[in-house]
Amino acid sequence: MPETRTQQRKTSILDTVFGAVLGLYILFIGGIVVANALVVGMTPEGRLQFWESIRDPDVLHAVWLSIWTSTVSAIIAMGISIPSGYLLSHRRSRGMRFIDAIVDIPIILPPLLFGISLLVLFQRTFLGASLRAIGLKFYHEPSGIVLVQVLIAAAYGIRMLKGAFDSLDPRLAAVARTLGCTRLRAFLTVVLPSIRNSIIAALVMIWARALALYGPIIAFVGATTGRTEVLPTRMYLEMSVGRLEAALAVSLLMIGLAAIVLLILKLVGGSDGIDSERMTRL
Amino acid sequence: MLNIEHLETVAGDFRLHNITLSAPAGSYGVLLGPPGSGKSVLVETICGLRSPSEGRILINDKDVSHEDPRKRLVGYVPQDYVLFPCQRVRDNIAFGLRSRGMSRHDAIKDIQWVVELLQIGDLLNRWPRTLSGGERQRVALARALAIKPRLLLLDEPVSALDEGLRERVCRELRRFQQELGITTIHISHNIEEALAVSDWAAVLENGHVLQTGKMHNLLRHPRNETVARFLRSENIFCGQAHPGDNAQSTVTFANQTLTIAGTLTGPTTFVVRPELIHFGKPHAPGKNIIRGRLTEITDRGAYIRLVIDAGVPITIFTSVKDQTGAMSIGESYDITIPPNAIHVLEESTAPARLTSDR
């Protein structure tokens, strides 16, 4: 009995320490949000900028553009991440390890680099000219925002889903095939539902990553007000001309938007039992 | 029913070599072997999850060697059962029927027989993660049986269960198999399990089938030392054989001499069945009587295991009621080894040349 008590006490101390670390981090994030809200809400200038911002048609356009581009990008990036993550998880070869390393490039390198690279690719090469000739325009177009977002966010999705597929028992699909499934049906009815939580987590990550991008967007599609200006771009431009309160007002809008979408996704996601099963094993 | 002919399968660095096996219709076979011997690779090849590089697999005389697993109608219960975590028990069991185009409503109606057979009606609404080991095993078996397979493959079906449960579950497996008359192959590394359920068994080692036959035959007449050691034969000896009169030979080992039936020459490996050795106080020397000192006494409940040091340790199983007199460690005893207790291995570590009729 004394041993059990000691063990319980040890676990409790560990949980307290870990809880304190987590608490400090959460406090830090919360502090930033509260500070933003205070600066906006406590000063007449801040309140004025906030109300002006949320009524400004250009800001509302930026909100809408941010929402739809991030959503479309998240869907396309998931379409890339699911098969890519599965393949990288299930095919082990030297070539696959090389491809696996390439997938990490958008995660490691500064996002601005991709904006500049896309600009060069679409404006200075034969490929860009050919695509323009057949009507596919990305430069200074909202579709360019989606292209930038997909390019960068898909890397995060692939990395997350590869991890999920790695942790899944490969025999699940094998058993399904012995029961009469095709490979595709086994993948759709057994493999994918078994990593439902990870898919939702990846979707959240991809959407949030897409929403937050601005450097490569400015470089590739610019920041034309009412056309290619997304919320982070607006925030950056407000900040660059010294309108701190306006930048903070846009930042609060973004925080609110992100909070609503993430909450909806978490509620829709629920628990698929896989993670809970893993936790009970621990 | 199932015939495997000269099968070879490559699985990474591992290879199955020239596997030839036959499972009669309605029989219960056990593939025995140590971990890494190729049992699972063989079963995965039979159910179509691996493709053979050579040889054929025939089910009801039809070559299915390269047929898609979904068309083979082979029920497969993998080790640890691998239930689909995203589906309730009911949907796990109905999965095979739904994959074959049946509606969910019809599939759930169609699985009632297997739910009743395995008595898992109260589990249908549960998630796999909430089931105990025994319940998972039943659900996995129900899922495999629901498609009414021609052949049932069970990969270590009781290894994940508690020791106390295994024997009962083995008896149940055998009962279900007999009720359904389904040809079954069961992977195990446990001799007691194989004895409890099997009509026939095959011993595998390093991708080779070393011996097939009925379990009691394998235990009494192992073909070689590897099979004998795997089947836990206690007395395996190597000696030099010399042919004698009357189709008999003498074998010298560890300064002892035994008379063995058959004409043998040269290095010979043989096993002596411990339960057939007679044990008693020293008396007059005679044929196949060996004297030694008692070094170990272990009460195994149903019998007593003795070890006599006669230059080499010789194990004896003797019944409890025969040993009412006191036995003392260190005392000398005579053991008599009757000819029927000796089995010469066909393939010795150092090959013996057998010239007797076999």
Side-chain angles (χ1 to χ4, degrees), chain A residues 168-169 171-172 174-182 185-186 189-190 193-194 272-274 276-277, chain B residues 47 49 69-70 74 76 78-80 82-87 95-96 98-100 129 136 143 147:
Chain A
L168 201 63
D169 191 335
R171 294 176 302 166
L172 281 169
V175 172
R177 288 175 60 212
T178 66
L179 291 168
C181 262
T182 59
R185 192 182 161 102
T189 58
V190 174
S194 299
D272 64 358
I274 314 297
S276 0
E277 186 176 28
Chain B
C47 67
L49 297 173
R70 72 197 162 101
V74 171
Y76 171 51
Q79 202 175 354
D80 306 330
V82 192
L83 297 177
F84 304 139
C86 51
Q87 296 176 1
F95 185 88
R98 296 209 61 205
S99 300
R100 286 157 202 278
R129 66 177 179 275
R136 282 175 194 226
R143 182 179 62 181
I147 58 168

Side-chain angles (χ1 to χ4, degrees), chain B residues 163-179:
Chain B
E163 190 104 29
L165 255 181
R166 285 183 198 167
E167 196 185 324
R168 184 170 67 78
V169 173
C170 277
R171 277 201 305 271
E172 283 183 351
L173 282 174
R174 182 61 167 160
R175 180 170 65 80
F176 300 144
Q177 184 267 337
Q178 283 174 332
E179 274 183 37

Side-chain angles (χ1 to χ4, degrees), chain B residues 207-253:
Chain B
H208 296 267
V209 171
L210 300 182
Q211 193 172 357
T212 57
K214 289 184 180 298
M215 259 317 275
H216 68 84
N217 203 37
L218 297 185
L219 286 168
R220 284 163 184 71
H221 305 289
R223 180 173 291 161
N224 58 32
E225 196 176 333
T226 312
V227 176
R229 289 203 184 281
F230 178 74
L231 297 174
R232 299 203 299 261
S233 295
E234 291 266 7
N235 299 315
I236 304 172
F237 304 116
C238 297
Q240 278 293 327
H242 305 282
D245 300 332
N246 303 324
Q248 289 188 326
S249 306
T250 54
V251 181
T252 311
F253 72 105

Side-chain angles (χ1 to χ4, degrees), chain B residues 304 319-327:
Chain B
I304 295 173
S319 79
V320 179
K321 66 176 182 189
D322 291 346
Q323 300 305 326
T324 46
M327 290 182 290

